[in-house]
Amino acid sequence: MLLQIVDTLEMLPPEVIEEPVQESMNLFTMAHYGGWIMIVLGVLLIGALYIFIERMVVISAAGKDDKTFMNKIRDFIHDGNIESAQKLCKTVNTPSARLVEKGITRIGRPMQDVQVAVENVGNLEVANLEKNLVIMATIAAGAPMLGFLGTVIGMVQTFYNMAQNASGIIEMSALSEGMYQAMVTTIGGLIVGILAMFAYNFLVARIDRVVRRLEAKTMEFMDLMNEPA
């Protein structure tokens, strides 16, 4: 009887003999095996994306520059039309315009007072541009550490299951499951950390560009104040 079954199987075409179906690996499967740490990493990733998009909108708006702005301000000040200069600054409503507007309100005072007022506004504008960047940097540094924590937890769980096995027979499925969880959390933490790090450095570079423009506007405005009437 056994020989007949073997002969029958040999006679069947290859497509009839079913092979065991292997589960395909994807991000959802990896996240499932990663446990609660993957949920935390997912929240951190969403937070980093939100901060990046929100900061990009703010920085892009702050980086807009009207080439004729300072020429118009110069003409208004030379004509003694201070009110029109202030209205122009309010209309433009950029960090450099707010900086110049503060300096205009100090016209008639000593130049040192004007410069201090302009620099203080500049510092406030830079601080506003850098808002939430500390959180982004924290995510970039903390996500890999959370991944490593998940790795340690997975390894501890694996060895604990081995120690609880009184028969002394170690099943590869139980061993591989713990190792899988350990590796998945490491990968997840590194992915979130790397993305957050690149996003942070990109935002810092964009902010530095805006800061240099503010410094140029400050010097241009102070030169305007020192021009002969």
Side-chain angles (χ1 to χ4, degrees), residues 7-214:
D7 293 338
T8 303
L9 291 175
E10 290 179 351
M11 293 174 60
L12 290 175
E15 59 271 12
V16 176
I17 303 176
E18 297 182 356
E19 296 182 356
V21 180
Q22 295 182 354
E23 182 182 1
S24 60
M25 180 183 297
N26 52 56
L27 292 178
F28 294 102
T29 304
M30 294 176 63
H32 173 72
Y33 279 101
W36 63 270
I37 288 185
M38 295 299 292
I39 299 177
V40 177
L41 292 175
V43 173
L44 292 180
L45 179 60
I46 294 173
L49 288 175
Y50 172 79
I51 294 173
F52 178 76
I53 295 173
E54 187 267 340
R55 286 294 90 191
M56 279 299 300
V57 172
V58 173
I59 295 170
S60 298
K64 294 180 179 179
D65 188 23
D66 185 1
K67 302 297 182 182
T68 64
F69 173 73
M70 288 305 299
N71 292 330
K72 294 177 181 178
I73 293 294
R74 180 179 288 103
D75 294 337
F76 285 139
I77 292 178
H78 285 173
D79 294 339
N81 196 351
I82 305 300
E83 184 178 353
S84 296
Q86 291 177 331
K87 288 182 179 179
L88 177 61
C89 293
K90 290 183 182 347
T91 302
V92 175
N93 195 26
T94 60
S96 57
R98 289 190 288 270
L99 184 147
V100 172
E101 181 185 5
K102 189 65 175 181
I104 292 174
T105 60
R106 295 295 189 270
I107 291 178
R109 297 188 181 184
M111 293 301 298
Q112 183 65 27
D113 293 346
V114 177
Q115 184 173 0
V116 170
V118 171
E119 290 178 351
N120 289 338
V121 173
N123 292 333
L124 292 176
E125 293 294 339
V126 173
N128 181 60
L129 292 175
E130 294 177 345
K131 181 181 178 181
N132 293 330
L133 284 190
V134 175
I135 299 177
M136 178 76 77
T138 303
I139 294 174
M145 298 181 67
L146 280 174
F148 294 146
L149 175 62
T151 300
V152 174
I153 293 175
M155 296 297 294
V156 170
Q157 182 178 356
T158 299
F159 286 109
Y160 177 80
N161 293 336
M162 292 170 57
Q164 295 299 314
N165 192 348
S167 63
I169 300 175
I170 301 175
E171 297 182 359
M172 292 302 298
S173 59
L175 181 62
S176 60
E177 183 177 351
M179 296 292 292
Y180 188 45
Q181 176 183 355
M183 295 299 102
V184 163
T185 55
T186 300
I187 294 174
L190 289 175
I191 290 175
V192 175
I194 290 172
L195 292 176
M197 180 187 66
F198 279 111
Y200 172 81
N201 289 331
F202 181 80
L203 291 176
V204 168
R206 292 292 300 271
I207 292 174
D208 287 342
R209 190 182 306 172
V210 176
V211 169
R212 288 194 297 268
R213 187 171 298 170
L214 288 177

